[in-house]
Amino acid sequence: MGLFSKLFGGKTKKETVKVKQVREREDQPAVHDVSSQDDRMNWAIEKAQLTLHYFEDSLKNPQANQQYFSIKVKIVDGDAAEHIWLTSPSFDEE
């Protein structure tokens, strides 16, 4: 069982987030569209926000086996929003 499964609980096939559409893009990763009303996805976002301090602690004081960190963030542009992975995250006073 992986770390995330231990922290957040495993998921069954029935609980898997339903991707509405996958948009392929040339020379870029595919975009997986998920409804903002998806209960499983909203639960995962809430859980991540509640445990963000653990991630920040690990980022500031990584253990020997922690060498790579990434975090998914929501970018909003008007009425559109997209979640993207940041591969060199950092925290500041804000």
Side-chain angles (χ1 to χ4, degrees), residues 19-33:
V19 175
K20 284 181 129 183
Q21 177 183 347
V22 177
R23 290 183 279 137
E24 299 294 334
R25 302 180 300 173
E26 190 173 325
D27 298 325
Q28 295 182 34
V31 174
H32 296 257
D33 293 323

Side-chain angles (χ1 to χ4, degrees), residues 22-82:
V22 177
R23 290 183 279 137
E24 299 294 334
R25 302 180 300 173
E26 190 173 325
D27 298 325
Q28 295 182 34
V31 174
H32 296 257
D33 293 323
V34 178
S35 169
S36 62
Q37 304 303 311
D38 187 284
D39 289 337
R40 187 75 177 154
M41 180 62 76
N42 290 329
W43 174 86
I45 291 168
E46 181 180 349
K47 190 74 162 186
Q49 291 170 343
L50 291 171
T51 58
L52 187 60
H53 62 282
Y54 293 118
F55 179 79
E56 185 176 7
D57 290 345
S58 294
L59 188 61
K60 288 179 180 176
N61 300 299
Q63 301 297 311
N65 62 342
Q66 295 176 320
Q67 299 172 357
Y68 175 81
F69 292 92
S70 63
I71 189 168
K72 197 171 234 186
V73 297
K74 182 178 182 179
I75 306 295
V76 178
D77 182 17
D79 292 338
E82 185 171 341

